[in-house]
Amino acid sequence: MLGGGAGDRAASARSVQLIMYVVGFLDLAGVMIVIPMFVTHLRHLGLSPLMNGAIRSFYGVLQLVFSPLVVCGGIFKHSTTLCKSVLADVTPPEDRPKVMGKFNGAMGIAIILSPAIGGHLAHLDNGFAIVCSVSSVIFLGNCVVCLGLLPNELPLHARRPDGDPSKKDITTTPRNEWLSLLYEVEWKVFGDIFVVDFFLTFAAYAYRASFVLIIDQMFAVSPSTIGYIISFQGAIGAVAGFLAGRLSRFQGSSQMVLFNSALVQAVSLLGLTFAPSILLIVMLLVPLSVSATLIHTATSTLIIDRCVPSKIGSVTGVAQGIPAIAGMTTPVLAGLAQEAGVRGPGVLASVAAFVGAAAAGWAAHYRHTTRKTGT
């Protein structure tokens, strides 16, 4: 794999990219077949919105604890972080928005299929147990893909197209040194992205954490209908992912893509919060899904572009901890907000999104100003 000319290396890079698309698809498929049904399952067990959120916040706790330790091979749902790190290794900087968009698009396809399948399986006797079993099979299949295909491409992973492969990376960092990763990150370089990512992720999680409960409570829809609505959202996100490269070039810099997408997210969430019908909710899911995909693509691209090659693993590992903090706190706060009123989580999400959009706008202006002054 290390021999050959530029054509061979490009072909090998495309092979690695394809494998990462498949891994990302299976990873999210295994999650999304369970998550929509998990929320209603907890409600049917008699849990209040607050307790429902508290249980789901534990998932965020695990992500926060283990996000700097991606040497653990993806334990506690960090395979997405590892996939992005591999994609960054094998992809030239100019192609990263397109490749990251396709990766998000592949995961969007999982959101198209899995919730609808899970919604139908939930109608069966012991439906939730069946859904969980199918999820386990999907994750085992993902292990087979990694073990069967990826080892042949691992030599290419050691080659960085824009850096020195001999430099130390996070994959060689001992677990007991995870705190040192926080000091390795240049916060002046990445702090604005982390702040924006936190508020936008918090906003998305706040609405998503109670979305199923809200439409179930307000419109009394069936599990299969919930699955189809989430699948529709995934379809829009998948299309946006595959078009992310073109959409990003149309808007200019990734910094402006992030700002514009944050504004769209904030307005969409506000509209969804007070939508009087399922039809309007479905319509507003279109701009929300497109903006979410572009936000993921823009943040990933900005983080990688600002990294020196030897720090990509450590920075993306720490970056994964930022949304993990949101994932840890959001379900509880969204549940508490829903205790106050059915639209509480939506209001909370809208406020967080507008704060994130303001931070993204400030960062875009600041970066543009410093480039012009040369500071």
Side-chain angles (χ1 to χ4, degrees), residues 30-96:
V31 174
M32 291 307 299
I33 200 171
V34 173
I35 292 299
M37 303 305 110
F38 184 63
V39 176
T40 55
H41 179 70
L42 293 178
R43 186 176 68 84
H44 292 155
L45 291 177
L47 273 68
S48 67
L50 180 59
M51 289 302 300
N52 194 314
I55 290 177
R56 287 178 286 127
S57 285
F58 184 61
Y59 178 78
V61 173
L62 295 177
Q63 280 199 311
L64 177 63
V65 171
F66 287 93
S67 59
L69 304 180
V70 295
V71 289
C72 298
I75 284 180
F76 298 113
K77 189 61 175 60
H78 277 287
S79 50
T80 299
T81 302
L82 295 170
C83 287
K84 289 181 178 180
S85 181
V86 172
L87 288 173
D89 285 348
V90 302
T91 306
E94 64 271 14
D95 292 334
R96 284 170 183 164

Side-chain angles (χ1 to χ4, degrees), residues 173-231:
T173 303
R175 297 183 186 184
N176 60 0
E177 296 182 5
W178 70 271
L179 284 175
S180 67
L181 299 180
L182 299 178
Y183 296 98
E184 291 182 19
V185 174
E186 297 181 61
W187 294 96
K188 290 183 179 180
V189 176
F190 302 101
D192 61 308
I193 307 177
F194 291 164
V195 169
V196 173
D197 192 26
F198 170 79
F199 281 104
L200 297 183
T201 303
F202 183 96
Y205 284 4
Y207 189 80
R208 189 187 309 166
S210 302
F211 176 72
V212 173
L213 292 176
I214 290 171
I215 61 175
D216 181 47
Q217 183 176 344
M218 292 184 64
F219 305 107
V221 296
S222 65
S224 58
T225 301
I226 293 173
Y228 282 124
I229 292 174
I230 297 175
S231 293

Side-chain angles (χ1 to χ4, degrees), residues 343-358:
R343 290 186 172 87
V347 173
L348 180 66
S350 299
V351 171
F354 277 109
V355 172

Side-chain angles (χ1 to χ4, degrees), residues 8-370:
D8 292 335
R9 290 195 296 270
S12 297
R14 288 193 294 271
S15 297
V16 174
Q17 290 164 359
L18 180 60
I19 294 171
M20 293 300 98
Y21 299 156
V22 173
V23 171
F25 166 80
L26 292 175
D27 180 66
L28 196 58
V31 174
M32 291 307 299
I33 200 171
V34 173
I35 292 299
M37 303 305 110
F38 184 63
V39 176
T40 55
H41 179 70
L42 293 178
R43 186 176 68 84
H44 292 155
L45 291 177
L47 273 68
S48 67
L50 180 59
M51 289 302 300
N52 194 314
I55 290 177
R56 287 178 286 127
S57 285
F58 184 61
Y59 178 78
V61 173
L62 295 177
Q63 280 199 311
L64 177 63
V65 171
F66 287 93
S67 59
L69 304 180
V70 295
V71 289
C72 298
I75 284 180
F76 298 113
K77 189 61 175 60
H78 277 287
S79 50
T80 299
T81 302
L82 295 170
C83 287
K84 289 181 178 180
S85 181
V86 172
L87 288 173
D89 285 348
V90 302
T91 306
E94 64 271 14
D95 292 334
R96 284 170 183 164
K98 178 178 68 175
V99 170
M100 291 299 177
K102 288 184 177 180
F103 178 72
N104 290 330
M107 294 194 295
I109 295 175
I111 302 178
I112 298 173
L113 301 176
S114 296
I117 294 172
H120 281 285
L121 293 176
H123 284 297
L124 302 175
D125 292 337
N126 297 319
F128 186 71
I130 294 174
V131 169
C132 291
S133 299
V134 173
S135 175
S136 299
V137 171
I138 292 173
F139 281 121
L140 287 174
N142 208 5
C143 291
V144 172
V145 170
C146 292
L147 293 175
L149 298 179
L150 194 56
N152 295 326
E153 307 295 342
L154 284 178
L156 182 63
H157 175 57
R159 179 193 296 272
R160 298 185 182 276
D162 52 357
D164 182 357
S166 65
K167 292 182 179 180
K168 183 181 176 182
D169 192 73
I170 180 61
T171 53
T172 62
T173 303
R175 297 183 186 184
N176 60 0
E177 296 182 5
W178 70 271
L179 284 175
S180 67
L181 299 180
L182 299 178
Y183 296 98
E184 291 182 19
V185 174
E186 297 181 61
W187 294 96
K188 290 183 179 180
V189 176
F190 302 101
D192 61 308
I193 307 177
F194 291 164
V195 169
V196 173
D197 192 26
F198 170 79
F199 281 104
L200 297 183
T201 303
F202 183 96
Y205 284 4
Y207 189 80
R208 189 187 309 166
S210 302
F211 176 72
V212 173
L213 292 176
I214 290 171
I215 61 175
D216 181 47
Q217 183 176 344
M218 292 184 64
F219 305 107
V221 296
S222 65
S224 58
T225 301
I226 293 173
Y228 282 124
I229 292 174
I230 297 175
S231 293
F232 170 76
Q233 186 176 6
I236 300 301
V239 173
F242 289 112
L243 296 177
R246 295 181 181 179
L247 293 173
S248 297
R249 287 194 299 270
F250 176 76
Q251 298 182 66
S253 67
S254 295
Q255 199 79 55
M256 287 306 300
V257 173
L258 183 59
F259 172 56
N260 294 333
S261 301
L263 278 179
V264 173
Q265 183 195 63
V267 174
S268 300
L269 286 171
L270 187 62
L272 284 163
T273 300
F274 297 98
S277 67
I278 282 289
L279 177 60
L280 186 56
I281 283 178
V282 171
M283 292 174 62
L284 288 170
L285 286 176
V286 174
L288 182 67
S289 300
V290 173
S291 64
T293 299
L294 293 180
I295 286 169
H296 289 310
T297 302
T299 52
S300 299
T301 302
L302 285 169
I303 288 172
I304 292 170
D305 285 349
R306 296 183 190 180
C307 275
V308 296
S310 62
K311 297 295 184 180
I312 288 177
S314 59
V315 173
T316 53
V318 173
Q320 188 69 14
I322 304 300
I325 295 173
M328 177 180 67
T329 57
T330 301
V332 171
L333 295 176
L336 186 61
Q338 193 167 18
E339 295 278 3
V342 68
R343 290 186 172 87
V347 173
L348 180 66
S350 299
V351 171
F354 277 109
V355 172
W362 175 86
H365 174 74
Y366 173 76
R367 292 278 172 182
H368 179 71
T369 302
T370 54

